[in-house]
Amino acid sequence: MIKYLDLQKINASFEPELSDALLRVCHSGWYLYGEATARFEQEFAAYCDTVHCVSTGNGLDALTLIFLAYRELGVMDAGDEIIVPANTYIATVLSILRAGLKPVLCEPAFETCNMDITYAESLITPRTRAILPVHLYGRLADMQGIYDLATRYGLKIIEDAAQAHGAIWNKGLPGKGSPALRAGSLSDAAAFSFYPAKNLGALGDGGAITTHDAELATTARSIANYGSTEKYVHLYQGINSRLDELQATVLSIKLSRLDKDNARRREIAQSYKENIDWQRLGLQSTVHTDHINEANVFHIFPVFSPRRNELQRYLTQCGISTQIHYPIPPHRQEALKKEYGMQQLPITERIHNEELSLPISPLLTNEETEHIINRINAFI
Ligand SMILES: *Cc1c(COP(=O)(O)O)cnc(C)c1O
């Protein structure tokens, strides 16, 4: 059986360094707000090339804290609108709601699965405060288009970079320094998740905000710590959201191999792209129309087919496990149906009906990749 993602194998490949470091934390007697967390924040800010990194308990909190901080700073008010892709993991939408703001769902372009800029523009109202692109599947959104739109309408940009650790935008953006920019530095503030299965994954939950904005970073950090900047003094009605020393230690070790792992993901994607018989199978992929470059870190390798369920069953029989990202779009979920169920979002629905994620892991071997390709090409 080829697993969709073999986390046990991935984490074992960091041994014995990982166990040694975890034991050191265990014996240190210091588990929160310590050296390991501070070090990881510095390393991750340096990696993303942002001035600040604020670690959090998970990715949902990282997104939510950005919005809560903007509310405390008076940039956003209750009920203000945030434009967000309709085809995303529900966390993106929930973060907006949790901060008392209003998600406005935007259709993607089918070819990229990222936000359709023209559609986004049609959603802008006097209450719109921000655009929240998601670099879905590890492929960067059209940041130039989003940047132009945000500039024209005076909107904030917040990246959901939970699937795009390390992806590089090498076309530059006005006022952002060097032309090669990483996910996390392409906006006013970005949120990352270190959920175990992400390209940079902890051994549990974790998340981070990256930003150049000192005021936003300080405010978010304080809200994440019960609204406090000084022990037992509370400035805001905060929450509790922390990355602990154990997870920070794991992440520092794994960060050092992230670029290499992402390069291997691209190699596997290249092999899929070149060797799958796309035409005969009537399959499509978001990478099929795009070059495989550093703007894509292939958190997920998606293929699209009207016969998705059949293909998945067939691959399971062949001993190849796949996943679907995601079977039900947010607006069709029971949790959001009341507000969003009536919205017509045909491209979003097509993506959710046709998407199948092939195994992609930095430790997938060439033989396994070839086997997967051969089995797919034998699908009738
Ligand atoms: C994983 C993910 C999140 C949420 O991260 P958690 O750490 O699970 O809270 C948010 N947005 C996207 C696009 C994700 O893939």
Side-chain angles (χ1 to χ4, degrees):
M1 190 79 194
I2 298 179
K3 288 189 181 171
Y4 174 70
L5 182 70
D6 192 339
L7 281 179
Q8 198 172 26
K9 188 174 169 189
I10 290 174
N11 288 323
S13 72
F14 291 93
E15 293 293 7
E17 209 186 342
L18 203 56
S19 293
D20 291 350
L22 288 173
L23 263 180
R24 273 201 302 280
V25 177
C26 178
H27 294 156
S28 75
W30 196 271
Y31 308 109
L32 289 168
Y33 298 120
E35 271 172 32
T37 309
R39 188 181 336 116
F40 174 70
E41 286 184 346
Q42 269 177 14
E43 288 169 354
F44 199 62
Y47 179 82
C48 297
D49 202 13
T50 58
V51 184
H52 307 279
C53 169
V54 179
S55 60
T56 63
N58 55 63
L60 171 64
D61 283 354
L63 278 169
T64 307
L65 282 160
I66 292 170
F67 291 118
L68 291 175
Y70 275 133
R71 287 209 49 193
E72 293 294 352
L73 292 170
V75 175
M76 295 174 190
D77 278 326
D80 278 348
E81 296 170 6
I82 311 295
I83 297 176
V84 59
N87 62 315
T88 182
Y89 181 58
I90 195 167
T92 322
V93 179
L94 291 179
S95 70
I96 302 169
L97 289 167
R98 264 179 69 192
L101 303 166
K102 187 180 167 202
V104 176
L105 304 182
C106 179
E107 280 270 72
F110 183 74
E111 294 69 31
T112 62
C113 291
N114 285 331
M115 199 178 265
D116 177 332
I117 308 296
T118 311
Y119 196 101
E121 182 163 15
S122 76
L123 299 173
I124 294 176
T125 77
R127 292 300 301 270
T128 309
R129 291 292 169 272
I131 308 175
L132 171 47
V134 179
H135 305 309
L136 199 74
Y137 307 143
R139 177 188 168 139
L140 293 181
D142 172 9
M143 293 312 292
Q144 184 67 56
I146 289 166
Y147 184 91
D148 292 343
L149 197 60
T151 307
R152 249 187 301 135
Y153 291 90
L155 308 175
K156 293 282 183 201
I157 306 172
I158 296 144
E159 284 164 89
D160 181 341
Q163 302 189 356
H165 318 70
I168 293 175
W169 180 264
N170 54 22
K171 293 176 248 177
L173 283 173
K176 298 247 180 236
S178 94
L181 303 163
R182 275 191 207 272
S185 71
L186 306 171
S187 57
D188 293 290
F192 288 89
S193 162
F194 306 121
Y195 178 81
K198 306 286 170 158
N199 287 31
L200 179 61
L203 304 182
D205 275 319
I209 298 166
T210 54
T211 181
H212 295 304
D213 183 339
E215 207 181 18
L216 180 75
T218 307
T219 311
R221 190 181 289 284
S222 159
I223 298 172
N225 181 21
Y226 290 108
S228 166
T229 41
E230 189 187 330
K231 204 167 186 182
Y232 304 130
V233 181
H234 302 273
L235 215 54
Y236 312 109
Q237 296 176 9
I239 62 171
N240 171 9
S241 186
R242 304 158 173 152
L243 186 73
D244 62 65
E245 291 281 289
L246 284 166
Q247 299 307 339
T249 301
V250 171
L251 291 168
S252 279
I253 291 170
K254 294 181 78 174
L255 178 60
S256 65
R257 215 181 73 193
L258 178 59
D259 284 342
K260 195 166 153 253
D261 285 351
N262 283 341
R264 175 61 186 155
R265 284 173 182 269
R266 274 194 286 273
E267 228 170 68
I268 295 161
Q270 180 75 34
S271 186
Y272 280 151
K273 185 186 168 195
E274 283 174 3
N275 297 304
I276 290 175
D277 194 347
W278 300 92
Q279 208 136 39
R280 191 190 67 75
L281 296 162
L283 282 182
Q284 279 180 273
S285 176
T286 54
V287 290
H288 206 49
T289 51
D290 189 35
H291 294 299
I292 293 184
N293 58 30
E294 290 177 315
N296 196 337
V297 291
F298 292 96
H299 173 57
I300 283 166
F301 191 97
V303 300
F304 300 88
S305 165
R307 296 170 66 202
R308 184 262 314 271
N309 295 344
E310 245 178 287
L311 180 59
Q312 185 175 42
R313 268 196 302 276
Y314 162 80
L315 289 173
T316 308
Q317 280 161 10
C318 297
I320 297 162
S321 56
T322 56
Q323 290 194 5
I324 293 170
H325 296 95
Y326 299 88
I328 308 171
H331 72 287
R332 294 283 182 210
Q333 298 285 354
E334 200 57 44
L336 297 174
K337 234 186 205 158
K338 215 172 92 211
E339 289 89 352
Y340 297 96
M342 298 301 287
Q343 216 174 316
Q344 294 298 308
L345 297 160
I347 297 167
T348 296
E349 299 205 0
R350 178 174 173 204
I351 289 169
H352 290 260
N353 288 332
E354 297 192 2
E355 199 273 347
L356 186 68
S357 307
L358 302 185
I360 189 154
S361 143
L363 297 189
L364 205 65
T365 64
N366 288 343
E367 292 67 35
E368 286 171 324
T369 311
E370 239 170 77
H371 176 71
I372 294 165
I373 291 164
N374 288 338
R375 293 335 301 157
I376 291 176
N377 287 343
F379 178 59
I380 300 162

